[in-house]
Every structure is written in C-alpha cells, then in structure tokens.
Amino acid sequence: MQLRPGAAVFPDAVARRITAPSCALSRYSAISLNNSRIHRSSIHTSHRRDSAWAAAVQVASSVVGNVVKKASKDGMAIDPLRTVAKEMQFLTGNIRKLLGSGHPSLDRVAKYYTQAEGKHVRPLIVLLMSRATHLCPKNPRPEHIQSGRAIDSSISPVQILSDLNPSATPLSSTEPDITDGILGILPSQRRLAEIAELIHTASLLHDDVIDHSVSRRGAPSANLEFGNKMAVLAGDFLLGRASVALARLRHVEVVELLATVIANLVEGEFMQLKNTERDERNPKYSEETLTYYLQKTYLKTASLISKSCRAAALLGNADVRIVDAAYSYGRNLGLAFQLVDDMLDYTRSGQDLGKPAGADLELGLATAPLLFAWKQDPALGALVGRKFEMEGDVEKARQLVLQSDGIEQTRALAQGYSEKAIAAIADFPESEAKDGLVEMAQKTIKRQK
C-alpha cells in the first residue's frame, strides 16, 4: 500500500470518502471575501425560504462582511476563540459544577486538571461547528428538546438517583442560558462541548497513570500529586458524570456516538501497547506499519473530535450531508492535530509543551517521525522491536529521526489532513464561525505546543 502525504489510509469502514455538502445559498455567492482561503463550489439556489430565513441570511451576511473588512484592514486572521467567547468563558465553571461530589477528596482530585489553563481545543471546535452549521439546511424531522432546563433535569426519579449517593449534588450548570440572537448556540450543544472536555480530561488522568507522567499543563500530574489509585478513580468519576450529562441530552444517536468514543479511547490504548500489528522482535518497515499507527491515532485522538463534531450537527438538527461533513472535518483535523503533537515531541522542550518532551521514545512508542525515518534507515527496526529499552536506544533513535526527513514528512502528512478538513466544510454558508474552523485547521499545523 503506497502512502502519499495527506492520503487517507483507513479501511473503507473507518474512513470512507465523504462528499462535502452543498448547503450555501445563492445569496452568499455575491459576498466577496478578501481572505477566502478555499474555493467554494456547488452553490445552489433555494426558492422556498420564509422571511425568517431571509432575515437570518441577511444578518449573517452583514456580520461576515464586517468581520472580514476589519480583519483585512488590521492584517489579522479570524480569531476562532472570539467567535464563541461568551460560551467559552463559562466552560471551566460549568465543568466544575458537573463534577461536584460530596466526598471532599474525590471532589479535589476530579477538579484538579480544571485548575490549570488547558487549550480547550475540543470544546472550542464543538462550539464553532455548532455555530457554523446553524444556517445550513435542516433535517425535516422534528427537533429534540433543546432548553437548558431539559438538559439539567433528570430522567429517573431524583430519589433513586440520589439514594445513599455522596455525589448527589445537582448535575447542572445553573447559570442563565446564553442568548445571541439567530446565531445562538443551543444549550444542548454547549453541554456537548462540556462533555467532550470531560471525556478528554478523564483520558488524561488515565493516560498519565499508564505512562507514569510527572507533569501535565505545567504542574505535577494528578498521579504524582494524589497517587495512581485516586487518579484512576477520578478519571472513572469524570466518565460517569459525563455519561449522565450525555444521557440528559435525550438524543439517542449522540449518546451512541460519545459512548463509542469512550470505547475507542480504550481500544487505541491497547493498540499503542504494540508498535506494529504483529509486534515482531525485529520488524521490517511496511506501509501497513503506518496504517496501524494512523488507526491507533484515530481511536486515541481523532475519534473524540470527529464524533463530537457530528454530534454538534445532529443536535442542531442539520441534514444528513451537513452531519457527514462535520464528521469528516473533525476526523481529518484530529489526525492532523495528533501528527503535529507527535512531531513537537521531537522539536520542542518540556517547558514549551507543559509536559515532558521526548516522552514517546521513553515509553517505547514509534510515532510518525520515527516511522518515516525507519522507512529510510532499516536499522531502526531492531530498536522499534525492542521498544527502545536498551541503554542508548532512545538517544540513538532520536538522532536518526533528526538526521532524516521524518519530521518534514510528518508535517506534510498533517498538512494534507488539515486541507481535507477545510475542504469538508467548503460549502457551508459563509460565517465567522466557518472562518474560525478554517483557522483552527490552519493553526493546527503552525502550533508550537
């Protein structure tokens, strides 16, 4: 199997080609965006729009035009965070409310990683996707319950849920709904962003135990601060609270998607126990090796992003083409993000990253830069087979990677996935949120931590 930079390498069941939707309106075709980065095509006209829709389009057009003019004048790109700043400012506080426990030790450990300032990439993407799909065609079936009160109310009787339960504090974020006119993000979509961050944080707690990490986000890791047992239990608690919040969204497919993510995280961790599918002691490089690595990368990183994006579109009642495009964007962005992460492990210091640099080799992991270097230098096979466990293996492998073009090839592969992510949403109606998604894909390639 030949792999080109940016080429998809998943089996059809995992990475089928998804056609970008044609949901832009003809009214948008007259809008000239000076900073347009991608070609828009397949714009069609719909003759049956009511006055509310027309008003929505006109307001969105005005917003986009003003933003682009200002950005062009200032020589600045769209800031993705600014687009959903209202929602993001409540994110950490809402998550801490969702994590309340009557047991003080559990409460402290569960909230530990919310104290440090993380990148919050996943909730930011969910919120941008929610807003970007707002003006897209809708599914004709009735919408699900979307009020803030609905997603905070229990389905089972409260006395049963709280029976002898020390964590019986209300599972809710009781601040008033954030309203932003016709471009608003639904309460269920905001809760989805919080759930995505909960699942991600739980995976960090578990990963740090598995990897014996000593730092995270510039502070001692939870396993170092509280011990392995409490860190694992805190991660389990986060997943439990995320599951309850997920059920209260009352959307069966969204529950299925996010439950699958949790299973994918575990599957990816098991795949990571081996560098190659057969785990030979003295393996030879093949294209299947890179395929195996990318499948593992999808499960551990891209699954949460792709399925969260799809879930955001579903909660917004978008039609099937939009839902598929949202998934495609998230899948490709997630792969690009992890490829850059693996590259930075070779090129940045621990101080820059907020966690130990060079950790992948120390853990015996062969990531994309090393795999590309191995393709050029078969001698790396023996080191990969014994997972760099002998004295001097880590230093030797690192040196061989830096002498090769493995880092450049990893960057090219990540660039290809970034471009695919942008192409997936090419026909979304023009909006600041769409520009934010494009900017996220571009910044993923340029990030330094």
Side-chain angles (χ1 to χ4, degrees):
M1 176 179 175
Q2 297 299 315
L3 183 76
R4 307 182 308 278
V9 296
F10 296 122
D12 290 342
V14 179
R16 68 186 185 281
R17 181 184 177 87
I18 298 175
T19 304
S22 179
C23 69
L25 301 176
S26 60
R27 312 169 192 213
Y28 280 87
S29 62
I31 302 174
S32 175
L33 299 182
N34 295 328
N35 70 338
S36 178
R37 301 177 181 84
I38 52 181
H39 178 70
R40 276 77 178 181
S41 60
S42 305
I43 298 178
H44 70 273
T45 302
S46 175
H47 298 289
R48 301 176 65 184
R49 302 287 178 190
D50 58 24
S51 59
W53 178 265
V57 172
Q58 180 152 1
V59 172
S61 301
S62 176
V63 169
V64 173
N66 291 338
V67 169
V68 171
K69 286 178 184 176
K70 185 179 187 304
S72 301
K73 182 178 179 181
D74 297 343
M76 296 173 63
I78 295 294
D79 179 8
L81 183 59
R82 184 183 65 186
T83 308
V84 290
K86 286 184 181 178
E87 290 80 8
M88 289 296 290
Q89 76 179 89
F90 293 108
L91 179 77
T92 300
N94 288 353
I95 288 174
R96 291 178 69 84
K97 290 175 184 177
L98 292 175
L99 288 178
S101 171
H103 194 294
S105 296
L106 175 57
D107 192 71
R108 186 169 64 255
V109 184
K111 295 176 180 176
Y112 181 66
Y113 280 162
T114 67
Q115 296 172 3
E117 189 60 39
K119 294 188 285 286
H120 299 317
V121 169
R122 290 148 191 86
L124 177 56
I125 292 169
V126 169
L127 294 170
L128 286 170
M129 183 60 71
S130 300
R131 182 156 285 171
T133 56
H134 183 75
L135 290 177
C136 285
K138 301 299 181 184
N139 192 323
R141 63 186 173 84
E143 293 190 17
H144 291 263
I145 299 171
Q146 300 287 7
S147 71
R149 179 173 297 178
I151 63 173
D152 282 334
S153 62
S154 62
I155 299 171
S156 297
V158 175
Q159 65 271 24
I160 293 175
L161 293 176
S162 303
D163 186 28
L164 299 178
N165 185 353
S167 65
T169 52
L171 180 66
S172 65
S173 52
T174 54
E175 81 288 337
D177 283 349
I178 306 165
T179 57
D180 195 14
I182 61 166
L183 294 179
I185 295 172
L186 298 170
S188 59
Q189 291 170 323
R190 289 198 294 274
R191 180 54 50 83
L192 174 67
E194 295 157 13
I195 291 168
E197 187 68 3
L198 280 176
I199 293 173
H200 172 60
T201 306
S203 74
L204 297 183
L205 285 161
H206 288 160
D207 283 353
D208 284 350
V209 172
I210 293 168
D211 298 341
H212 308 289
S213 297
V214 297
S215 64
R216 169 72 64 180
R217 295 173 177 171
S221 59
N223 51 297
L224 191 68
E225 187 78 3
F226 304 103
N228 287 343
K229 186 172 183 177
M230 290 189 71
V232 169
L233 291 173
D236 293 345
F237 182 72
L238 263 66
L239 291 177
R241 295 298 255 181
S243 298
V244 175
L246 182 60
R248 289 183 181 176
L249 295 182
R250 293 165 167 82
H251 193 299
V252 175
E253 186 176 352
V254 171
V255 173
E256 181 181 52
L257 284 167
L258 274 295
T260 303
V261 168
I262 297 173
N264 288 162
L265 289 168
V266 179
E267 291 167 334
E269 198 65 49
F270 266 83
M271 286 187 72
Q272 191 166 271
L273 295 174
K274 305 185 295 182
N275 281 324
T276 60
E277 188 171 5
R278 290 182 293 276
D279 204 25
E280 308 97 324
R281 188 64 180 172
N282 192 19
K284 291 181 171 58
Y285 177 85
S286 69
E287 298 300 335
E288 285 71 26
T289 304
L290 190 58
T291 300
Y292 181 85
Y293 159 79
L294 287 169
Q295 287 174 330
K296 179 267 298 181
T297 298
Y298 172 80
L299 293 170
K300 276 185 62 70
T301 302
S303 173
L304 176 56
I305 297 174
S306 63
K307 289 168 183 168
S308 295
C309 283
R310 181 179 178 87
L314 284 167
L315 290 172
N317 205 41
D319 78 11
V320 64
R321 294 168 302 159
I322 308 306
V323 170
D324 284 347
Y327 170 82
S328 182
Y329 172 88
R331 179 175 64 83
N332 287 295
L333 180 67
L335 289 169
F337 186 90
Q338 188 58 49
L339 283 163
V340 172
D341 215 47
D342 292 344
M343 182 179 69
L344 293 176
D345 197 56
Y346 284 90
T347 61
R348 307 296 292 178
S349 68
Q351 184 175 2
D352 292 333
L353 299 175
K355 57 184 179 180
D360 290 338
L361 287 174
E362 295 285 353
L363 293 169
L365 304 180
T367 57
L370 187 133
L371 296 180
F372 284 122
W374 180 15
K375 185 176 183 179
Q376 297 172 16
D377 188 347
L380 274 167
L383 280 66
V384 172
R386 61 177 180 255
K387 297 182 174 63
F388 318 106
E389 63 186 8
M390 289 182 60
E391 187 176 352
D393 278 359
V394 169
E395 292 76 12
K396 181 179 179 181
R398 183 178 181 83
Q399 193 60 35
L400 289 173
V401 169
L402 295 176
Q403 290 173 357
S404 74
D405 64 356
I407 290 173
E408 287 72 22
Q409 288 200 54
T410 301
R411 190 189 305 276
L413 185 58
Q415 179 69 42
Y417 282 120
S418 172
E419 291 170 359
K420 286 185 176 184
I422 294 170
I425 60 171
D427 290 332
F428 278 21
E430 302 304 335
S431 69
E432 188 177 356
K434 176 185 173 179
D435 288 342
L437 290 172
V438 171
E439 189 75 11
M440 287 290 292
Q442 293 174 336
K443 282 185 174 180
T444 288
I445 305 301
K446 301 173 184 175
R447 69 188 180 92
Q448 297 298 315
K449 63 179 181 177

